[in-house]
Amino acid sequence: MTYKKVRTRFAPSPTGFLHIGGARTALFNWLYTRRHEGTFVLRIEDTDQARSTEESTRAILDAMTWLGLNWDEGPYFQAERVNIHRVMVQKLIDEGKAYYCICTPEELEAKRKKALAEGRKPKYDGTCRNRGLARSPGSVVRFRCPEVGMTIVRDLIKGNISFNNEELDDLIIERADGYPTYNFAVVVDDAQMGITHVIRGDDHVNNTPKQIRIYEALGCETPLFGHVPMILGSDKARLSKRHGATSVMAYQEMGYLPEALVNYLVRLGWSHGDQEIFAMEEMIREFSLEAVGKSAAVFNPEKLLWLNQQYIMSYPGERLAEVVLPFWEKRGFDLSNRGYAAKAVSDLRTRAKTLVELADAGAFFFREEVDYDPEAAAKFLTPEYGGHLQVVAERIPAVEDYTKDGLEAFLRALAEERGTKLKWIAQALRVALTGKTVSPGIDEVMVTLGKERVIERIRLALARIGAGG
């Protein structure tokens, strides 16, 4: 079967946040579509009125936007198409391909238990199949599945999968409240929206033969299917909250870059040689369903953290400062001097794995008063080191080459003059300027802080020493 133009869709249910598995499904659809210059459709499947919320819808749209997965059409809302679904249900009823069922939940549960007790599959037993019932309070509509033969799913990832029609159920396609069920609504919407490729998680494999039969009953062309293996946690159980954050936007809050998360997600089940880091253009150019693995992928938080660090180190400077600023703003810092903030980010970028780490490590740049680590202050803010700090403060105004190289040369000469090692002056300075014993290079810190801030902070440290710590 050949289609002229690829049309894919991502169709999340707005009953919660966009999770990692859903984001990967969206990404695979998006990449496949972009690779084939097709159309990517976003559809919100909100027919479960009891659980669907506007908040969840907004969270999904925000996550898609943050990841850079722009859609070409939509978002369409399935609940707004209910009248179309009802027309299609009636069409199947009129053609004898669907029927009303009045079996109560209690009766169905009794049938299920009996089937299990007798070693049979607990499928609907067809009680109402040939009764010719009309709509009545509490009735549902069931699809009349074929009872003989086979249904073949020609899966683009898993290969051909065969289902015995005897095993298929007369599934409910319209609930008693008049709303369609997932398996019916998704077929009608995909058919009417011209979806050519349905790429989704393999938890939908068992839905596919039922949906194929509905396509055929409606007289619609069946799309091509590709079922992506699930994502497992490190313990090989299905990925869940106990394995860590599963919400996409939780990763934004934890300081991950969207490009890093996208790069990580694409490698969960897809590969291109041994390459690990991909620009978006490379992903689009190289992505194919043939290269998607058939076995489950294992989520590795450490690998994601490593990737995020690589992206932080390579991110354009101005853009990195822009995405870090919100984390500093939350701490109430004055960020009016954006150039100063950008310099601070440049100093910190090689030492942080997340934006939160970067923001925490760079807080000292913005605090009006230095927050001294007690152990660091006890060791280095003492009379023994006070003399070194005093001389630095006195001579800094006269330093003409106030650059990284110039300051390094200045400190080396000072250490030699005072008969000590450079590291002792540097550590005392580091604690005086940052409050900690770990920071970017002390010469880099001094350049970014500027002469006035350096002198002021040294004065504060000397006052602390003079006051007895």
Side-chain angles (χ1 to χ4, degrees), residues 253-295:
E253 293 169 7
M254 292 190 295
Y256 286 81
L257 293 169
E259 294 90 342
L261 186 55
V262 165
N263 193 150
Y264 183 71
L265 290 176
V266 80
R267 290 287 285 109
L268 279 178
W270 175 82
S271 62
H272 179 67
D274 295 326
Q275 187 172 343
E276 292 288 352
I277 299 176
F278 294 83
M280 188 66 89
E281 296 75 17
E282 288 181 292
M283 292 184 213
I284 293 171
R285 185 175 65 248
E286 304 296 346
F287 185 81
S288 70
L289 294 178
E290 289 78 12
V292 174
K294 293 180 173 61
S295 56

Side-chain angles (χ1 to χ4, degrees), residues 417-446:
E417 175 188 322
R418 295 184 64 81
T420 189
K421 293 183 178 179
L422 172 61
K423 67 177 182 179
W424 300 126
I425 295 180
Q427 278 298 72
L429 259 178
R430 181 172 282 109
V431 176
L433 301 181
T434 74
K436 299 180 175 64
T437 55
V438 177
S439 77
I442 193 59
D443 39 23
E444 295 173 313
V445 170
M446 293 173 72

Side-chain angles (χ1 to χ4, degrees), residues 138-149:
S139 65
V140 300
V141 179
R142 289 184 180 273
F143 178 67
R144 193 186 297 272
C145 262
E147 297 180 286
V148 296

Side-chain angles (χ1 to χ4, degrees), residues 5 140 160 166 171 200 203 265 281 308-309 419:
K5 184 176 180 181
V140 300
N160 290 352
E166 291 180 12
L171 67 152
R200 58 190 181 186
D203 52 333
L265 290 176
E281 296 75 17
N308 200 56
Q309 184 176 28

Side-chain angles (χ1 to χ4, degrees), residues 49 82 125 357 381:
Q49 293 292 287
V82 169
D125 65 359
E357 277 188 16
L381 298 188

Side-chain angles (χ1 to χ4, degrees), residues 337-351:
N337 187 340
R338 294 303 173 94
Y340 177 64
K343 286 181 180 178
V345 168
S346 179
D347 290 347
L348 299 159
R349 66 188 307 155
T350 60
R351 295 168 171 267

Side-chain angles (χ1 to χ4, degrees), residues 3-23:
Y3 291 96
K4 292 182 180 179
K5 184 176 180 181
V6 168
R7 283 178 64 85
T8 67
R9 49 72 164 175
F10 178 56
S13 297
T15 55
F17 299 109
L18 180 62
H19 54 79
I20 289 297

